[in-house]
Amino acid sequence: MELHQLRYLRAVVRSGSVTEAAESEFVSQPSVSKQLRLLEKEFGVPLFHRVGRRVIATEAGLALADCADRVFDDLAATISSVSGPESVSGGTLRMCATETVVDNLLPRALTKLKAKYPRCHVRVEMLGTEDAVDQVLANEVDLAIVAMPLADSRLEVNVLLEEDVLLAVPHDHPWSRRAFVTMNEVLQEPALLLSMPGHGLRALVDEASQRLGIRPTQGLELRSQAALLAMVAAGGGIAFAPRMTITGRQDVVPLQLLPGLSRQVGWTRRRGRHLPAIGAELLRLLSHA
């Protein structure tokens, strides 16, 4: 068994196609097929079911793909520790984060990271909390930065920060001159705009409403926090907003909530997965932001 065979197998498991795997590995389709046959011969069990033009991994194939992930993670961590985060080989990070993190936390930290390590390569995908966790569990990313809490034994979870959740209202709203507003009032307000289910903030709001025994008015739901605040600014409603998304804005009025609402933001990775050195440096910058 050789490393390139494990690479090919992992690519086929991820894509479900020998052709797509060959393209991603920059080799010919017959080369990939040949190496898969050699692996099956070596192990004495089928690694894939052939269904038309698609291939589906058997239990043995999935187990070997998981092993391949661990092997390549170990190699990447070893190379990173030897060469340092400033090198081309050690400076690659794949991550995902929620919209509020991408828009408000990452830009300054990434700017510092690129200034210190100009040859590093960081790929950030913006996803909701549930989708980000799915990417972590699928070993598609090194880490994710999302809203807490997370309850999954397969994950390692670390808190980065805690912040208030406020209510954003337009300047001409009847509540705009108040110092605070109660959750009971907000949850019964027909003009309340909500984020989509599956987002960390929405889960927090749903938990608060359950505690109070009030079901929020079913109105407009949006995936984007930026879009929610833009609607508030345009007089289209009111919305919950993490403090980081509203600090410094002049087009909406932030109000404190009673009882107070707060959220934690943290980073997570799959247990046993090595964190690239450049990822550890980014987290250090974020923790000191």
Side-chain angles (χ1 to χ4, degrees):
M1 182 169 56
E2 300 181 10
L3 286 178
H4 69 278
Q5 293 175 320
L6 291 178
R7 267 203 333 271
Y8 298 166
L9 176 132
R10 186 172 65 168
V12 174
V13 169
R14 289 178 173 177
S15 66
S17 165
V18 174
T19 300
E20 292 178 22
E23 291 174 354
S24 68
E25 292 296 328
F26 303 102
V27 295
S28 67
Q29 180 179 334
S31 295
V32 173
S33 297
K34 178 182 178 181
Q35 296 306 319
L36 293 182
R37 287 195 299 269
L38 290 174
L39 278 176
E40 290 181 323
K41 182 178 180 181
E42 180 176 349
F43 284 95
V45 295
L47 299 175
F48 294 95
H49 301 293
R50 276 73 177 180
V51 183
R53 295 184 178 182
R54 309 298 293 178
V55 290
I56 302 173
T58 63
E59 288 296 322
L62 291 173
L64 192 55
D66 284 341
C67 174
D69 281 334
R70 294 193 297 273
V71 168
F72 288 115
D73 283 345
D74 286 343
L75 282 173
T78 301
I79 291 171
S80 177
S81 65
V82 171
S83 57
E86 70 278 5
S87 72
V88 175
S89 58
T92 298
L93 174 67
R94 299 173 304 162
M95 63 175 291
C96 52
T98 57
E99 179 194 11
T100 56
V101 171
V102 172
D103 290 347
N104 300 280
L105 275 187
L106 286 182
R108 181 175 297 181
L110 288 174
T111 299
K112 292 180 179 179
L113 191 73
K114 288 295 291 183
K116 189 173 183 180
Y117 306 112
R119 291 187 294 171
C120 73
H121 176 219
V122 180
R123 188 186 73 188
V124 182
E125 185 174 4
M126 187 167 70
L127 296 171
T129 297
E130 289 184 0
D131 291 335
V133 168
D134 287 343
Q135 289 286 295
V136 171
L137 293 175
N139 283 313
E140 293 295 329
V141 294
D142 299 301
L143 65 92
I145 303 179
V146 296
M148 303 282 104
L150 296 178
D152 193 311
S153 61
R154 296 170 293 177
L155 297 174
E156 176 190 335
V157 181
N158 303 271
V159 175
L160 273 176
L161 61 91
E162 185 168 355
E163 64 172 348
D164 294 337
V165 174
L166 307 174
L167 182 73
V169 303
H171 281 278
D172 60 355
H173 194 276
W175 295 346
S176 62
R177 296 187 180 276
R178 292 173 57 172
F180 63 86
V181 63
T182 67
M183 284 292 294
N184 297 61
E185 293 174 288
V186 176
L187 293 173
Q188 297 178 77
E189 172 58 46
L192 178 62
L193 310 172
L194 293 168
S195 53
M196 296 287 288
H199 282 230
L201 182 57
R202 177 60 183 271
L204 199 65
V205 172
D206 287 344
E207 289 174 7
S209 66
Q210 289 175 7
R211 287 197 301 270
L212 294 170
I214 302 173
R215 186 174 183 177
T217 302
Q218 293 298 310
L220 189 63
E221 297 176 320
L222 287 173
R223 179 170 292 275
S224 168
Q225 182 67 37
L228 286 170
L229 290 175
M231 284 199 65
V232 173
I238 62 176
F240 294 101
R243 182 176 291 276
M244 71 170 68
T245 68
I246 204 171
T247 299
R249 292 186 68 128
Q250 302 299 318
D251 55 352
V252 298
V253 178
L255 300 178
Q256 294 285 343
L257 292 164
L258 286 181
L261 199 61
S262 65
R263 70 165 189 166
Q264 290 181 326
V265 174
W267 69 272
T268 184
R269 61 176 170 176
R270 184 158 184 167
R271 288 194 182 276
R273 186 179 182 92
H274 294 288
L275 182 66
I278 202 69
E281 178 66 11
L282 175 62
L283 292 173
R284 187 190 68 80
L285 290 170
L286 287 170
S287 65
H288 290 82

